Amino acid sequence: ESAVPSAYYLGWVPDCLIPFAAQKGKGGAPFSIEANKNQGVWVDILIPVNSAAGTYTGDATVSVGEKIFNKIPISLKVYDFTLPDSTHLKNMFGYSPGFLAKRHGVSRKSDDYYNIELKYQQLAHRHRFDLVTEVPNLDIMSKYYKRYYTGEVYTAAFGYEGPGKNTGNTTFSIGYGGDLPEEYGKKIKSMTKKGWWAGSDAWENWFRQNIPGVDRNKYLYPDEPDFKGPTGAKGTGSMDTIRMQAKWSHSNPGIGKNIRTLVTNKIRPDLKGYVDFWSISSEEFTLNMTPEDFASERAQGHKFGIYNGFRPGIGAVVSDADAVDFRVMPWIAWKYKLDQYFYWSTTFWKNLNVFVNPLTYEDRVDGDGTFLYPGQDQVFPEESRNLKGPLSSIRAKNWRRGEQDYEYMWLAKKAGLEGKMNAIVNECIPTGLWEAKSQKDVSWSSRGYKFEQYRKRLAEILASSPAK
């Protein structure tokens, strides 16, 4: 009733998760806790795939100095099925190489930079999301990015352990954000049909020879087109430019014709027939999408993705929303049969101290654009943890939990348990997207523990099934 929130909602919000290996005094271990204060500690537990089913017990010991202060009993039940290493919900999480290079103090095009980037890719892979960015040409693709899709860098030889071992990323966007790789032409303003055909043929041929199973699209320029302007003019947001590129793709006599055209916009009459992959903002999906529009485009073989977050249709992406909001994303994607989730940027840090100031962009809200944090910081040295790679976040952990939930659903469907599984999904997420547009609040629980109860029910039906 009052515009002023309660004291519970004011103050610092925990998001960045700083490893024990961080520099002493910068969040690493050991650390001190002042009297009458709390300190949360996040623990990841990796259950080896060869673990026998059963209940495992032990203690977490809390020590003060050399003295044992308390022992917390822990019981962990391991079921007789294994989650796939592959992630079946296609996703794209953008990142900004320039900001990575600047924070870590390396040259953008150096091997040092790509060694840093490798750490970001590995952390993302461990959390079941695919990092995507602009790749300027096929030479760079072959030298630095191919390895993320073959899975060779997700092995012990590259210091990797965890989910997705020996398994590559599955989603790539050619010309991410509307960029134009060199094979397509040198500049947006001077692109031609001939260059577009040659570029798309070259990229499709490369994929077929190197990583044929990867889901790929051509991200058309401009991003989020919204008004008419001169065809091909950079910065105009021209629908004519979108239609021109789509026509070139669809009329290509070569193999490049097979690359889907992706457009970040709602279903518009003036774009129908041009778009193979609709990537629609969560706000538009909630407020303006209809199931009839969805079904009509689906019937023509077109794909659907959703990006960012907008309550009450889907979780929010901001740091001061409920922690489960990123966990909700995969549940929504499953319930409404979406082909992809897309988050615009994980590292849009600009020149802000992202550990203190969550407003990463003038028109953004808290935390939007900061999903990961820099382990080194040459812009704000006082914040540097001296770790050559990323720091994770509570939102990234919740995304991984949601993706794991999605794999439970995938296994249940594969085992012929779709009826029981869908009953759990509908109880967890009564309404989302267009079904929620008239609601004042979300339909799902704000508590992570409730999601654990739903996951346990999914585990129980899987464990009781002879087909796993």
Side-chain angles (χ1 to χ4, degrees), residues 46-306:
L46 176 64
I47 302 171
V49 295
N50 59 353
S51 299
T55 300
Y56 294 75
T57 61
D59 292 319
T61 302
V62 181
S63 300
V64 178
E66 300 297 322
K67 185 179 179 181
I68 295 176
F69 174 74
N70 201 359
K71 288 188 176 183
I72 305 169
I74 293 175
S75 176
L76 177 68
K77 183 175 181 179
V78 175
Y79 290 88
D80 61 345
F81 61 87
T82 302
L83 294 186
D85 277 313
S86 297
T87 294
H88 290 92
L89 172 56
K90 307 293 186 185
N91 63 82
M92 304 193 304
F93 281 63
Y95 68 104
S96 306
F99 293 146
L100 260 65
K102 188 172 184 179
R103 293 292 172 135
H104 288 277
V106 294
S107 171
R108 167 64 183 86
K109 297 181 180 180
S110 66
D111 284 340
D112 286 340
Y113 165 77
Y114 286 108
N115 289 335
I116 293 287
E117 187 183 72
L118 170 62
K119 299 296 184 183
Y120 280 79
Q121 290 278 357
Q122 288 181 326
L123 182 139
H125 194 69
R126 197 173 287 116
H127 289 77
R128 292 185 179 265
F129 60 92
D130 288 357
L131 284 177
V132 293
T133 194
E134 301 167 9
V135 178
N137 55 56
L138 285 171
D139 287 340
I140 296 296
M141 186 73 179
S142 296
K143 186 174 182 180
Y144 294 110
Y145 291 93
K146 174 184 172 182
R147 55 188 183 168
Y148 303 132
Y149 294 89
T150 61
E152 66 176 284
V153 293
Y154 305 129
T155 61
F158 284 82
Y160 185 87
E161 61 179 341
K165 236 179 155 180
N166 302 306
T167 305
N169 296 2
T170 59
T171 304
F172 186 84
S173 193
I174 302 168
Y176 173 71
D179 187 46
L180 200 67
E182 292 172 11
E183 289 78 12
Y184 280 74
K186 293 184 178 180
K187 295 180 180 179
I188 292 287
K189 288 184 179 181
S190 60
M191 60 185 172
T192 64
K193 181 170 69 173
K194 183 179 179 181
W196 191 274
W197 285 1
S200 56
D201 287 349
W203 276 79
E204 177 65 9
N205 183 59
W206 185 91
F207 271 96
R208 292 187 182 196
Q209 290 184 3
N210 294 278
I211 44 176
V214 170
D215 197 62
R216 50 207 180 262
N217 60 70
K218 177 64 186 83
Y219 198 129
L220 299 189
Y221 174 87
D223 182 42
E224 296 185 322
D226 197 33
F227 55 91
K228 187 174 181 179
T231 299
K234 187 175 177 63
T236 64
S238 169
M239 292 295 178
D240 287 344
T241 306
I242 292 288
R243 288 190 287 266
M244 178 182 71
Q245 294 166 101
K247 283 181 180 178
W248 290 347
S249 288
H250 295 155
S251 64
N252 187 350
I255 60 174
K257 183 178 183 177
N258 295 286
I259 300 173
R260 292 187 183 93
T261 57
L262 180 143
V263 175
T264 47
N265 208 320
K266 62 185 178 183
I267 296 177
R268 297 172 51 119
D270 54 354
L271 286 179
K272 285 187 176 182
Y274 297 94
V275 180
D276 303 321
F277 200 133
W278 297 95
S279 187
I280 302 173
S281 78
S282 49
E283 182 175 4
E284 289 287 353
F285 232 120
T286 299
L287 299 181
N288 297 315
M289 176 70 81
T290 68
E292 292 75 22
D293 285 337
F294 189 85
S296 174
E297 288 294 304
R298 265 271 191 258
Q300 297 178 58
H302 298 157
K303 289 197 169 190
F304 278 92
I306 189 169

Side-chain angles (χ1 to χ4, degrees), residues 384-422:
S384 183
R385 271 72 187 174
N386 286 336
L387 295 172
K388 293 183 178 181
L391 308 179
S392 188
S393 68
I394 287 177
R395 286 174 292 161
K397 299 295 183 185
N398 274 276
W399 167 265
R400 180 171 68 185
R401 286 176 165 182
E403 275 280 28
Q404 290 169 333
D405 297 338
Y406 192 97
E407 297 305 325
Y408 277 75
M409 299 173 215
W410 185 86
L411 286 174
K413 182 178 180 179
K414 185 180 178 183
L417 302 167
E418 200 165 5
K420 292 180 180 179
M421 177 265 292
N422 282 337

